[in-house]
Amino acid sequence: MNNMRLTLKSRPEGRLGPEHFDRVEEDLGPLADGKARIRVLYVSLDPAMRGWVSASTDSYLPPVPLGDTMRSLGVGVVEDSKSDAYKPGDWVTGMTGWTQFLDVGPGELSVVPQVASLEDYIGILGLPGATAWYGLVVEGEAKEGQTLCVTGAAGSVGSLVGQIGKALGLRVIGIAGTQEKCDWLVNDLSFDAALNYRTDDLDKGLKEFAPGGIDLHFENVGGDPFNAALKNMAPFGRMIFCGFISVYNGEATATPPEMTAIVRKRLTLKGYVMTDHFDKFPAIFQELGKLMMEGKLKYRLDVTTGLENAPTAFNKLFDGTNKGKLAVKVADL
Ligand SMILES: NC(=O)c1ccc[n+]([C@@H]2O[C@H](COP(=O)([O-])OP(=O)(O)OC[C@H]3O[C@@H](n4cnc5c(N)ncnc54)[C@H](OP(=O)(O)O)[C@@H]3O)[C@@H](O)[C@H]2O)c1
């Protein structure tokens, strides 16, 4: 069977591009005993992947070695199996990588129930959904009546954070990068308010929305939106750090944050990484499934077709041109 995969050729300075990958065409040969052959259907494009291709070993996962298939989450279907853990037709999720096919043993990928759409397993019932729920509810200890601010609010994680917050009875303000995204947050997702970090005065807007301060802040981007939130935290407020996409390509932040607010306001700051918590995904998906059934979670996918287009499509995350969860369709079901 013919396979195509993308392997990491060199490490980028700045943005990732097609020049950093080799396209490997190969014959997979017969399936070994104890293994299942997976046809990959979607691969997920996540901002963290920019960190995975850097040389730094000072992170929660080791760098992708040069010459290896690019690491990524994905969903696929079992094409053939010589393993008791998988049967043909099963849907699987996990670290598939940028490949059309892969052979896996027991435990390498998770079989998921076919009760939702395949696309749901990339988004709401995938890393973004788990990250949003865990960060807000477990790390954030979100409580009814609190004022919540989320940056990267129209993105894959951020849009779910805000909607889960609304479902739990919080007042929610989102910060995003275009008027279209802000309108979507307020008109379609029922956020209470939204600010455009490119055109609005964030400090003024946050003061108007939260005169008593922000009780709970969920950070996805860093830079000026983070600084504005830090300045407007309520005493004893909680800040949850999910990501800092504004610096992943090596850019410096424009303004140093007013760190004295952490002491003056007696804030609690907490960072977390969802890949530490794969064991909690099933329980979180039960909770998200309930909200989906109640029609409380809307979600959009931004899909590019063709694995070879993954390196270019990846940069939509940094241009802000992705409208929803960014993914690449590798094959039809
Ligand atoms: N801790 C974890 O386990 C975990 C898991 C998943 C994701 N994350 C983090 O969550 C964050 C969001 O990830 P996602 O997958 O949901 O992506 P996403 O929000 O769907 O897409 C990224 C968005 O970030 C915004 N952005 C890009 N550069 C920016 C900049 N310089 N300043 C302000 N905003 C910028 C853009 O929206 P605008 O148009 O609004 O600028 C873009 O659409 C990332 O920081 C990611 O690393 C963390």
Side-chain angles (χ1 to χ4, degrees):
M1 176 177 280
N2 292 328
N3 183 41
M4 189 277 276
R5 60 193 170 97
L6 298 179
T7 61
L8 186 64
K9 181 165 71 176
S10 58
R11 302 196 186 280
E13 305 279 331
R15 289 200 176 193
L16 194 67
E19 65 278 17
H20 300 111
F21 295 91
D22 279 322
R23 180 186 169 121
V24 176
E25 311 263 355
E26 61 194 357
D27 180 358
L28 285 182
L31 184 61
D33 285 338
K35 296 271 189 180
R37 183 152 295 169
I38 310 299
R39 183 158 50 94
V40 176
L41 302 171
Y42 286 95
V43 292
S44 172
L45 299 183
D46 294 292
M49 295 162 72
R50 178 61 189 79
W52 299 347
V53 298
S54 81
S56 170
T57 52
D58 185 23
S59 192
Y60 58 95
L61 283 178
V64 177
L66 294 178
D68 270 22
T69 303
M70 179 59 198
R71 180 192 295 146
S72 81
L73 290 161
V75 301
V77 62
V78 177
E79 190 87 350
D80 188 10
S81 180
K82 291 185 178 176
S83 160
D84 293 340
Y86 308 94
K87 58 180 190 310
D90 279 349
W91 292 357
V92 291
T93 66
M95 290 287 186
T96 58
W98 283 2
T99 184
Q100 292 175 324
F101 292 91
L102 75 160
D103 294 350
V104 296
E108 284 185 58
L109 295 176
S110 305
V111 176
V112 294
Q114 298 183 6
V115 294
S117 77
L118 196 65
E119 289 76 15
D120 287 337
Y121 287 108
I122 281 282
I124 293 187
L125 303 181
L127 180 73
T131 303
W133 178 275
Y134 188 82
L136 187 70
V137 176
V138 181
E139 301 289 11
E141 302 175 5
K143 288 176 195 65
E144 189 177 355
Q146 285 183 324
T147 295
L148 166 69
C149 176
V150 52
T151 59
S156 175
V157 173
S159 64
L160 288 171
V161 167
Q163 291 178 87
I164 296 166
K166 284 302 298 174
L168 297 177
L170 284 79
R171 285 181 72 235
V172 180
I173 187 165
I175 302 179
T178 67
Q179 195 54 46
E180 184 273 338
K181 290 184 181 183
C182 289
D183 291 345
W184 182 63
L185 295 175
V186 174
N187 298 333
D188 292 358
L189 305 193
S190 302
F191 279 46
D192 297 288
L195 295 170
N196 179 341
Y197 69 80
R198 290 199 166 90
T199 57
D200 289 332
D201 181 333
L202 298 182
D203 189 40
K204 182 165 168 273
L206 289 175
K207 281 196 166 58
E208 277 169 14
F209 180 75
I214 299 162
D215 301 306
L216 178 55
H217 176 73
F218 192 103
E219 185 56 53
N220 281 314
V221 306
D224 291 341
F226 161 59
N227 292 346
L230 181 58
K231 265 177 89 172
N232 284 283
M233 290 301 293
F236 302 101
R238 204 166 170 86
M239 302 190 90
I240 300 304
F241 294 90
C242 176
F244 284 91
I245 195 170
S246 64
V247 297
Y248 291 175
N249 285 310
E251 302 94 336
T253 47
T255 324
E258 268 188 44
M259 301 303 268
T260 58
I262 298 168
V263 178
R264 287 187 284 107
K265 305 269 182 70
R266 291 84 91 205
L267 303 178
T268 298
L269 281 68
K270 185 75 173 43
Y272 73 108
V273 172
M274 213 50 217
T275 47
D276 291 339
H277 304 289
F278 279 126
D279 58 315
K280 302 184 181 79
F281 279 38
I284 292 173
F285 295 154
Q286 293 271 336
E287 298 296 333
L288 292 174
K290 281 186 223 158
L291 293 181
M292 284 167 77
M293 303 278 279
E294 293 166 11
K296 289 184 175 161
L297 297 182
K298 291 188 188 160
Y299 204 66
R300 48 188 191 185
L301 280 190
D302 187 325
V303 176
T304 296
T305 301
L307 185 59
E308 64 283 4
N309 297 317
T312 304
F314 183 70
N315 286 313
K316 293 177 88 175
L317 292 166
F318 299 94
D319 293 333
T321 49
N322 64 310
K323 288 191 179 164
K325 170 68 198 138
L326 194 62
V328 171
K329 186 173 193 175
V330 182
D332 288 317
L333 182 59

